[in-house]
Amino acid sequence: MFKANAKVDVALNRDVEHLIKTGGKEGILPIVQMGEPVLRQRTAPYEGQLSRRTLTKLIETMRTTMLEAPGVGLAGPQIGLGMAIAVLEDHVREGDEDDPREIGELPFHVIINPSYEPVGDQTRSFYEGCLSFAGYQAVRRRWLDIIARWQDEDGNRHEERLHGWPARIFQHETDHLSGEVYIDRAEIRSLSSDENLADLWCEDPVPTEAAEELGFDL
């Protein structure tokens, strides 16, 4: 639970309410792009600074913005909010069962003050993208299995082992909250526009051919 004596930060609460209103009736916020300082700053932990009403509206707006983008995760800094909160959601689709990225069902989650640690030493390298670096993707090596920890909107603590693509999503969004963007540790020679990725490298999710042709290690 969040601190029993936590007080609403009136000024911050007002700022977040204003931010939410910028999404209009549709509840779709503009997504901050690379170069904005907020993407490079460590977020403040959430300790109950917002009223429950404002927090609920913020979560709803973040989810709407994420799905509309479309994306599978969205962190506070990506909407200009330096607070340790993110939303995640991804679903298995037809044909995903045999995907080497090991895509798994990831129901909607609000993750507050999240952290993770690897389980074992296995990693996988796949292309991934970011809503804050629109139009490009690059190969990023990530842990295959993690222990994920977070709090929900009620302050309840959770711990879960995640594997494959859901683990990658959790790592990606949690990294945002410490000021890291996926491209920081990506194979920079793999960087590709969305169009070129679709035309040249998406036939096999394992980027073996891209590694050979573009000159990077897997």
Side-chain angles (χ1 to χ4, degrees):
M1 302 293 289
F2 300 120
K3 294 179 180 178
N5 60 349
K7 292 184 178 180
V8 171
D9 183 325
V10 176
L12 177 60
N13 200 80
R14 186 186 307 116
D15 289 345
V16 172
E17 285 282 354
H18 177 74
L19 173 65
I20 292 168
K21 288 180 180 178
T22 64
K25 293 181 179 179
E26 296 81 9
I28 301 170
L29 297 173
I31 295 176
V32 170
Q33 294 298 305
M34 291 288 289
E36 290 283 351
V38 69
L39 290 173
R40 294 309 193 175
Q41 297 164 354
R42 180 175 291 276
T43 56
Y46 181 75
E47 298 174 335
Q49 299 97 314
L50 303 179
S51 70
R52 183 54 191 252
R53 176 176 175 273
T54 300
L55 178 62
T56 298
K57 288 166 60 179
L58 174 64
I59 291 167
E60 292 172 351
T61 304
M62 289 181 69
R63 186 184 190 190
T64 300
T65 301
M66 172 187 69
L67 295 176
E68 180 66 21
V72 296
L74 187 70
Q78 294 182 276
I79 57 169
L81 181 62
M83 185 173 290
I85 180 171
V87 293
L88 318 172
E89 184 174 2
D90 194 24
H91 301 288
V92 175
R93 298 164 182 82
E94 185 176 354
D96 284 345
E97 294 80 4
D98 298 323
D99 194 303
R101 292 171 293 187
E102 298 182 79
I103 296 171
E105 189 70 14
L106 183 61
F108 178 69
H109 281 70
V110 179
I111 58 170
I112 296 175
N113 304 324
S115 64
Y116 64 85
E117 62 181 80
V119 177
D121 57 5
Q122 291 192 69
T123 60
R124 294 290 186 274
S125 296
F126 295 112
Y127 270 99
E128 67 179 77
C130 180
L131 297 177
S132 291
F133 190 25
Y136 292 89
Q137 297 186 47
V139 172
R140 171 71 186 261
R141 182 180 298 276
R142 291 197 184 272
W143 300 111
L144 179 62
D145 294 280
I146 62 169
I147 296 295
R149 299 183 178 91
W150 73 95
Q151 291 173 274
D152 61 26
E153 58 267 47
D154 296 315
N156 299 313
R157 297 185 182 276
H158 299 266
E159 179 175 304
E160 184 177 345
R161 180 167 176 159
L162 297 178
H163 173 82
W165 202 251
R168 179 174 290 263
I169 294 170
F170 192 98
Q171 290 171 76
H172 180 118
E173 299 307 329
T174 300
D175 288 350
H176 267 303
L177 304 179
S178 61
E180 181 179 324
V181 182
Y182 86 97
I183 196 67
D184 295 348
R185 303 188 190 188
E187 293 291 343
I188 199 64
R189 291 182 68 98
S190 73
L191 186 65
S192 176
S193 68
D194 288 344
E195 292 81 2
N196 281 339
L197 182 64
D199 290 343
L200 301 173
W201 313 123
C202 73
E203 186 171 333
D204 185 356
V206 180
T208 305
E209 185 177 359
E212 293 174 354
E213 294 291 333
L214 300 179
F216 62 90
D217 296 326
L218 285 180

